[in-house]
């Protein structure tokens, strides 16, 4: 009986410590977007690597350029984009916390994916799991896997060019970008702008974006989704998508949890996804060789971990 009481007490203490750490992780993430917006508007590079900020600035500039190019294409005049307007729109995009957070997650994913290829030999595009899905006897899954592979290849190339096609944005962010674009235009530009926006919206298809395809493919795996939680086998893109789905988090949070300062969130998410302690440790070692599993994480049940992430956990009544 004493052993049972001790075990329960240890688990409750571990949960309490992890909840405090998770709150600190949440606080750190809440401060990311304002800091990044400031860095994008200045030349300061404190807290975030210069390469990461440059990559984000490139993505936002590319988004601005693609929208202004679409507007120019609706006129019979010059296709030249005014640099001051390009910079102005890019700065407006950089002031959006949700766009900045999304670009940060994409840039972080790009860094992690490249690092995994260099350290562990995990291909950034054609992973072992994706090869298996492409070879599936289910034609729909095979076709979806092929489309996902192509989209992932385009993403890797876009990250190298520090660009972000507007069609790759989630629907909410597509509408955010378009709204900022509209608000940046003068009254005389409205008719041309409306035609450009209509054209872009007609071409937009979230389901066939990289993130849309990844979500569809992971969902189509059914019970086989657990294979995507093996980072070495699945690669980072499928791993992050499956982790988000199984731990019931936004994909951006699943990506950012792989940062060394978010180790508690990652451990809790992996436990919420149903991974055993030894499986959690394996993923930690894959992500970073020196990433330490938070103390007590192996004592937390999957149901408790899920409640902690959802913010619905309550202390047991005795």
């Amino acid at each position: 009986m004493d052993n049972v009481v001790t075990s329960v007490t240890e688990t409750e203490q571990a949960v309490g410590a992890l909840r405090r750490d998770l709150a600190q992780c949440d606080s750190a993430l809440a401060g990311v977007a304002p800091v990044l917006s400031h860095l994008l508007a200045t030349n300061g590079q404190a807290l975030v690597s210069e390469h990461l900020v440059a990559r984000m600035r490139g993505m936002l500039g590319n988004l601005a350029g693609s929208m202004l190019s679409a507007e120019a294409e609706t006129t019979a005049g010059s296709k030249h984009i005014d640099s001051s307007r390009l910079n102005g729109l890019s700065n407006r995009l950089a002031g959006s916390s949700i766009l900045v957070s999304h670009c940060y997650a994409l840039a972080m994913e790009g860094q992690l994916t490249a690092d995994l290829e260099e350290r562990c030999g995990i291909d950034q595009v054609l992973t072992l799991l994706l090869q298996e899905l492409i070879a599936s006897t289910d034609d729909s899954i095979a076709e979806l896997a092929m489309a996902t592979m192509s989209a992932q290849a385009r993403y890797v190339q876009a990250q190298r060019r520090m660009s972000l096609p507007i069609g790759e944005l989630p629907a909410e962010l597509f509408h955010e970008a378009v709204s900022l674009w509209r608000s940046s235009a003068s009254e005389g530009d409205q008719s041309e702008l409306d035609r450009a926006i209509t054209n872009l919206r007609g071409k937009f298809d979230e389901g066939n974006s990289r993130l849309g395809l990844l979500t569809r493919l992971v969902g189509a795996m059914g019970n086989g989704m657990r294979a995507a939680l093996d980072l070495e086998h699945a690669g980072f893109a499928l791993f992050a998508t499956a982790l988000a789905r199984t731990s019931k988090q936004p994909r951006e949070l699943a990506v950012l949890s792989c940062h060394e300062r978010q180790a508690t969130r990652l451990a809790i998410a992996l436990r919420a996804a149903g991974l055993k302690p030894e499986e959690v440790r394996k993923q930690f070692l894959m992500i970073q060789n020196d990433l330490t599993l938070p103390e007590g994480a192996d004592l937390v049940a999957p149901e408790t971990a899920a409640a902690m992430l959802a913010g619905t956990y309550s202390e047991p009544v005795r």
Side-chain angles (χ1 to χ4, degrees), residues 144 147-148 151 206-218:
L144 188 53
T148 302
E206 185 179 22
N208 282 319
S209 68
R210 181 184 76 106
L211 296 180
L213 289 166
L214 284 166
T215 299
R216 289 166 55 195
L217 182 58
V218 165

Side-chain angles (χ1 to χ4, degrees), residues 134-155:
I134 289 172
S136 171
T137 55
D138 185 326
D139 290 343
S140 62
I141 289 181
E143 182 179 349
L144 188 53
M146 279 292 293
T148 302
M149 180 190 70
S150 297
Q152 179 66 15
R154 291 193 296 271
Y155 162 77

Side-chain angles (χ1 to χ4, degrees), residues 52 56 59-60 63 98-108 159 164 169 173 252:
L52 189 66
M56 294 174 62
M59 284 190 277
L60 292 169
L63 280 176
I98 58 175
L99 277 172
V100 166
S101 296
H102 182 68
C103 288
Y104 179 55
L106 289 177
M108 183 69 68
Q159 281 294 298
L164 173 58
L169 289 175
L173 300 187
E252 287 179 12

